[in-house]
Amino acid sequence: MKIRGIAQAISEAIKQEMERNDRIVVLGEDVTYWGAVFGFTMGLFEKFDRKRVFDTPIAEQTFMGMAVGAAAAGLHPVVSLMFVDFLGAGFDQMYNHMAKNYYMSGGQFPMPVTIITAIGGGYGDSSQHSQVLYSLFAHLPGFKVVVPSTPYDAKGLVTKALRDPNPIVVFGHKLLTGLPFLPFEGTEEEVPDEPYEVEFGKAALRREGNDLTIISAGLMVHRSLKAAEMLQQDGISAEVIDLRTLIPLDEETIVKSAKKTGRVLIVDEDYMSYGMTGEVAFRIQAKALKDLKVPIGRLAVPDVPIPFSEPLENAVIPSIKRIYNEARKLYQGS
């Protein structure tokens, strides 16, 4: 079937896994009639009713705690965290229990929990509704971190998550959902009707190139691909890698590409300091330093809150033009 955006793909994966596994339940704010606002659970309530899909109060600490208890009791909860910016309200249950209880119990209490949350700006939702923040989850041992950029990957990665015994956070960018009330920068593509898995820890080579490598995730993959098309007009061949998952990270693919091109630009919509760009840069230089022709470039959100003002928001979130300019500068610096 043809799917436009990641929202329908994610809800399709959950539906098929709920049909296969009656231990899967869905909970969170507005997961019933609204489909979790950004469409990640659309259609599930109509099919499985309130026994398996139920709304919770606006209390993240409470429903994240419910998920911890449900997982310990043998269920596999799918939890909707409406905006990733709200993670602070459920921080303790996620960081100190969900991520650690399996280890602290000596393997007695697995934590098969799948959190699905919306990330990103680009449409004027300001500082408390426009962040990415996946580096916070990647920093703490215990979570797997999944960032789909296409409908095919979204369905396959979520299916994989729902068959995994570990706590996993799936980050869906709002501008990739395909919902009519949001700008859309994603893709429409054919997705198999039957369930399938996309492997964790295996990056996707979205475009082959020889002159430089652009590494990104989520929305930034699409902007990087458009920037690569502009670079091609200048005679610069850019390779574009979609990380797909931050934990586990496909170190082999990114190092191989860095050795091939000798120039690397890492693009991220998360904050610059202590984030994905720094981690990936270190992994590359640790194994491919002698192959690099110029220092690794990084483009990310500066360490400021996401502005409400459209011109200011556009200034801090990496755009196609800024990716193009940074990549061109990197190439010319060799």
Side-chain angles (χ1 to χ4, degrees):
M1 68 184 144
K2 184 162 282 191
I3 290 181
R4 180 179 186 269
I6 65 172
Q8 183 185 347
I10 289 173
S11 63
E12 177 71 10
I14 299 171
K15 176 181 75 88
Q16 291 181 340
E17 288 306 293
M18 289 181 76
E19 291 171 340
R20 188 187 70 87
N21 181 359
D22 61 9
R23 294 183 302 107
I24 297 175
V25 294
V26 177
L27 64 148
E29 297 158 352
D30 296 323
V31 296
T32 57
Y33 299 107
W34 277 55
V37 178
F38 294 105
F40 300 137
T41 63
M42 57 183 166
L44 300 181
F45 175 65
E46 290 79 1
K47 182 171 181 62
F48 298 102
D49 68 48
R50 212 172 290 278
K51 292 181 180 178
R52 297 182 66 190
V53 182
F54 51 92
D55 289 326
T56 63
I58 305 174
E60 285 79 5
Q61 186 83 329
T62 298
F63 65 72
M64 288 298 171
M66 290 169 61
V68 169
L75 297 176
H76 187 139
V78 177
V79 191
S80 171
L81 180 62
M82 188 184 296
F83 291 82
V84 73
D85 315 70
F86 301 166
L87 68 89
F91 222 50
D92 181 59
Q93 291 296 335
M94 288 185 280
Y95 270 45
N96 277 328
H97 300 282
M98 197 180 291
K100 298 173 182 174
N101 280 3
Y102 185 55
Y103 168 79
M104 293 180 68
S105 67
Q108 296 180 76
F109 297 109
M111 284 287 117
V113 181
T114 303
I115 299 172
I116 300 179
T117 189
I119 62 171
Y123 66 106
D125 228 356
S126 194
S127 304
Q128 296 176 341
H129 297 78
S130 302
Q131 298 171 99
V132 172
L133 302 181
Y134 41 52
S135 293
L136 291 176
F137 288 90
H139 178 68
L140 187 85
F143 284 112
K144 294 183 180 180
V145 176
V146 175
V147 191
S149 67
T150 68
Y152 179 90
D153 279 1
K155 180 176 177 180
L157 288 167
V158 171
T159 299
K160 175 72 172 173
L162 293 172
R163 297 176 181 181
D164 194 295
N166 298 285
I168 295 167
V169 190
V170 179
F171 296 83
H173 200 289
K174 297 161 218 161
L175 302 195
L176 301 181
T177 57
L179 298 180
F181 61 87
L182 287 167
F184 183 58
E185 296 188 36
T187 54
E188 181 176 326
E189 62 182 352
E190 288 291 334
V191 174
D193 291 337
E194 65 276 4
Y196 60 90
E197 297 182 14
V198 170
E199 184 181 352
F200 290 167
K202 186 64 177 175
L205 180 61
R206 298 296 182 195
R207 179 188 176 105
E208 291 194 40
N210 298 307
D211 295 327
L212 66 92
T213 299
I214 304 175
I215 300 169
S216 56
L219 174 66
M220 293 297 115
V221 172
H222 297 275
R223 293 190 177 182
S224 296
L225 286 168
K226 289 182 171 62
E229 292 174 5
M230 296 168 62
L231 291 164
Q232 191 65 53
Q233 295 175 9
D234 296 336
I236 302 171
S237 173
E239 187 149 290
V240 178
I241 294 176
D242 178 356
L243 291 176
R244 282 177 165 168
T245 62
L246 303 188
I247 305 294
L249 181 67
D250 185 357
E251 197 172 284
E252 180 181 351
T253 295
I254 60 178
V255 169
K256 180 180 178 181
S257 182
K259 288 182 176 181
K260 171 186 172 183
T261 67
R263 305 175 187 88
V264 178
L265 176 65
I266 308 165
V267 181
D268 192 15
E269 195 183 338
D270 207 348
Y271 298 119
M272 174 76 84
S273 295
Y274 304 95
M276 181 268 277
T277 59
E279 181 64 29
V280 172
F282 175 80
R283 301 285 186 102
I284 292 170
Q285 69 87 26
K287 295 190 174 180
L289 182 60
K290 63 182 177 58
D291 299 288
L292 296 176
K293 299 171 183 175
V294 294
I296 296 169
R298 297 196 294 159
L299 177 60
V301 174
D303 300 328
V304 298
I306 307 297
F308 171 71
S309 159
E310 183 176 357
L312 292 177
E313 184 184 36
N314 291 337
V316 301
I317 297 175
S319 64
I320 297 167
K321 184 176 181 180
R322 285 183 64 205
I323 297 170
Y324 163 78
N325 287 338
E326 289 296 318
R328 184 178 172 84
K329 189 191 329 179
L330 194 74
Y331 178 76
Q332 291 173 336
S334 56

